Amino acid sequence: MTLMGKRVSTRSDAKGFSVLEALFAVFLISTVFASLLVLQQSSLRTADSIRRATMASHNVRASANYIRAITPGMIPGGTLDLGGATLEWQATPITETARLRAGREGLGRFEGTLYRIDATLVFEDGYRKTFFVERFGWRALAPISPFQ
């Protein structure tokens, strides 16, 4: 096709891409990569929150096992480093202390109380998880000797 004496190519005989087509292709590719980057960041945040929740679950389970293992009458409170979290607990008696019986023989050498143990897990990032356990605790009234 000629225009003002010069030959102008039409679309049917043009070879290559126009600048507008190249700009559109760059825009389209950058939009796709940007959305993939946002998706990857979201996946990383989700994976991190799952990791934290898993660690919190393990630490809660470990601290509950520790609380079950202590005798609140002898160790009424304290702290324990669990690696990634710190367990703090305080045992408070919720019943009157009673001397325990030694079968039919009468009163024994121990006294027992029902305790409420308030425990808090403090994680490194400042997150706190609080729970409580009620359990029986005892303590010896006199030193225990294997020869008595």
Side-chain angles (χ1 to χ4, degrees), residues 44-128:
L44 289 174
R45 279 193 300 271
T46 301
D48 188 49
S49 67
I50 289 171
R51 182 189 59 81
R52 286 182 186 201
T54 302
M55 286 186 65
S57 174
H58 289 303
N59 283 332
V60 167
R61 190 173 300 125
S63 62
N65 288 335
Y66 184 79
I67 296 269
R68 277 191 218 108
I70 65 170
T71 303
M74 298 172 70
I75 307 172
T79 60
L80 177 68
D81 182 19
L82 296 172
T86 302
L87 171 65
E88 302 169 352
W89 78 92
Q90 184 63 45
T92 307
I94 56 176
T95 61
E96 293 289 324
T97 300
R99 192 150 179 197
L100 302 177
R101 299 188 64 78
R104 295 182 182 158
E105 301 168 7
L107 297 177
R109 298 178 306 187
F110 301 95
E111 63 182 12
T113 307
L114 185 61
Y115 289 89
R116 175 187 166 118
I117 304 171
D118 293 301
T120 303
L121 271 171
V122 181
F123 294 92
E124 291 174 341
D125 61 358
Y127 177 71
R128 300 173 75 86

Side-chain angles (χ1 to χ4, degrees), residues 1-76:
M1 169 192 302
T2 58
L3 183 62
M4 299 170 75
K6 294 189 175 185
R7 182 170 165 87
V8 177
S9 67
T10 60
R11 185 79 181 125
S12 62
D13 60 354
K15 295 188 178 175
F17 298 102
S18 70
V19 173
L20 185 61
E21 290 171 329
L23 285 175
F24 181 73
V26 168
F27 171 75
L28 189 62
I29 290 172
S30 63
T31 304
V32 168
F33 281 135
S35 62
L36 288 176
L37 181 64
V38 168
L39 182 64
Q40 182 183 18
Q41 287 176 342
S42 174
S43 297
L44 289 174
R45 279 193 300 271
T46 301
D48 188 49
S49 67
I50 289 171
R51 182 189 59 81
R52 286 182 186 201
T54 302
M55 286 186 65
S57 174
H58 289 303
N59 283 332
V60 167
R61 190 173 300 125
S63 62
N65 288 335
Y66 184 79
I67 296 269
R68 277 191 218 108
I70 65 170
T71 303
M74 298 172 70
I75 307 172

